[in-house]
Amino acid sequence: MEPNLPDVVLWSIPAFVLLTVIEMVSYRLHPDEDAAGYGTKDAATSITMGLGSLGFDLLWKIPILAIYMGVYELTPLRVPVLWWTVLLMLLAQDFFYYWSHRGHHVIRILWACHVVHHSSEKFNLTTALRQPWTSATVWPFYLPLIACGVHPAALAFCQSANLVYQFWVHTERVGKLPRPFEYVLNTPSHHRVHHASQGGYLDRNYGGILIIWDRMFGSFAAETERPVYGLTKNIATYNPLRVATHEYAAIARDIRAADTWSERAGRVFRGPGWQPAAKAATAAAAAGPVTTAAPGTGGAAATASVPARGTASAPERAL
């Protein structure tokens, strides 16, 4: 029997609207010249991306749900939906969210989906709504939960709860919380680091609800200097279609320009900005001194990688 669980995203929409209005008003009443704040075109793009993602997610959910239900029917395991098992499922979903999120930063074809969320140079509650239209790359990370007997509807509830929690961490109006909260939970301070484009902040703080996964797996960074938001190569466009697809277009250009099949594979499956050692050396010689790539962006002795917030191709211009 399918669990009867509420649609937490739907129920949270009034709170999303109210909190966004409050944040906008707060900037009018108490401006902060150092904060990224709001931009009309930027906020409109973020909201458009969020609305578009709702429609595209409906399309992706059809084949994904079919796969999940097939695995669920094949497994002999069943996790009952009780108050304490829901808490355990939320914990497990947050763990797999961490690895999904991390994977979408360090594998370029996955980054092409997730880069949408990092494409704004602002950081406010509308940034939380800037969601990708190609989220079909997320589902494999949660197959272990389905195989362990978690009903797909229960997983959907946990994913929605995780998404709703992350809405409030997209703000500069909340400083650091008391230490116990900062140690365990993902907070605005931790998430500002995640959205920053400085080298020391890149590929850090992947946690959804909990930040303990980052502390456990070596990807945590505390907020020290004020973040600069966006990509290492900003796309400079408010066109929703370009925002949704620009990295896929960059991958296609890099594949066409590749010299070997191994390079083509690297352009797709290695870290964002990866390029063969020979081309990296040529680019480094032309650019001058080389800075070390941030942890988690890939690279090996025979290859080179640049931080994950950019692409190997030239940035797009505004439309």
Side-chain angles (χ1 to χ4, degrees):
M1 184 175 66
E2 182 174 327
N4 184 21
L5 295 167
D7 187 337
V8 291
V9 172
L10 182 63
W11 281 96
S12 300
I13 289 176
F16 290 170
V17 174
L18 177 61
L19 289 172
T20 301
V21 171
I22 291 173
E23 186 184 45
M24 287 179 175
V25 171
S26 76
Y27 275 108
R28 289 294 185 94
L29 298 179
H30 300 285
D32 182 351
E33 293 182 357
D34 294 326
Y38 273 83
T40 302
K41 289 183 178 180
D42 180 85
T45 299
S46 294
I47 293 170
T48 301
M49 297 305 299
L51 293 173
S53 73
L54 294 177
F56 281 100
D57 281 352
L58 289 176
L59 296 177
W60 302 128
K61 282 179 180 177
I62 295 172
I64 292 170
L65 181 60
I67 295 171
Y68 279 171
M69 288 305 300
V71 174
Y72 183 76
E73 292 300 323
L74 288 172
T75 181
L77 305 175
R78 290 293 182 268
V79 177
V81 179
L82 307 169
W83 71 266
W84 62 272
T85 59
V86 169
L87 293 178
L88 291 177
M89 284 188 281
L90 282 167
L91 180 66
Q93 188 275 331
D94 197 57
F95 172 78
F96 285 107
Y97 171 85
Y98 169 86
W99 289 108
S100 171
H101 195 180
R102 187 165 181 166
H104 278 73
H105 271 253
V106 300
I107 300 172
R108 191 180 182 194
I109 191 63
L110 302 186
W111 172 245
C113 162
H114 185 62
V115 67
V116 169
H117 186 60
H118 285 270
S119 61
S120 175
E121 296 177 60
K122 305 291 184 181
F123 190 75
N124 52 59
L125 293 176
T126 65
T127 308
L129 306 178
R130 187 175 286 227
Q131 296 295 322
W133 295 355
T134 55
S135 56
T137 57
V138 173
W139 67 269
F141 290 90
Y142 297 105
L143 277 176
L145 285 177
I146 304 297
C148 287
V150 174
H151 194 282
L155 172 60
F157 169 79
C158 293
Q159 290 175 314
S160 297
N162 198 308
L163 185 65
V164 167
Y165 176 87
Q166 290 188 62
F167 177 79
W168 80 281
V169 301
H170 291 82
T171 184
E172 293 186 281
R173 304 307 270 179
V174 177
K176 289 193 176 183
L177 302 179
R179 185 173 296 180
F181 295 98
E182 292 286 340
Y183 191 83
V184 175
L185 297 173
N186 184 21
T187 65
S189 176
H190 298 326
H191 209 58
R192 287 192 289 269
V193 169
H194 180 70
H195 274 259
S197 59
Q198 292 104 310
Y201 283 169
L202 288 176
D203 299 330
R204 299 291 185 172
N205 299 359
Y206 298 112
I209 297 175
L210 301 175
I211 203 67
I212 57 173
W213 313 122
D214 291 280
R215 296 185 186 277
M216 290 172 60
F217 299 113
S219 54
F220 175 75
E223 184 181 31
T224 52
E225 60 180 312
R226 183 177 285 273
V228 177
Y229 305 108
L231 307 172
T232 55
K233 294 180 181 178
N234 286 304
I235 57 176
T237 180
Y238 298 110
N239 183 314
L241 185 60
R242 293 284 296 277
V243 172
T245 62
H246 73 272
E247 182 66 5
Y248 293 105
I251 290 174
R253 289 194 297 270
D254 288 342
I255 289 174
R256 285 196 300 268
D259 298 323
T260 65
W261 282 106
S262 62
E263 181 184 349
R264 293 184 183 96
R267 297 293 191 180
V268 176
F269 299 110
R270 299 297 294 264
W274 173 90
Q275 51 187 320
K279 290 187 177 181
T282 301
V290 177
T291 56
T292 304
T297 56
T303 63
S305 178
V306 299
R309 295 295 169 77
T311 70
S313 298
E316 279 93 3
R317 304 309 307 163
L319 289 182

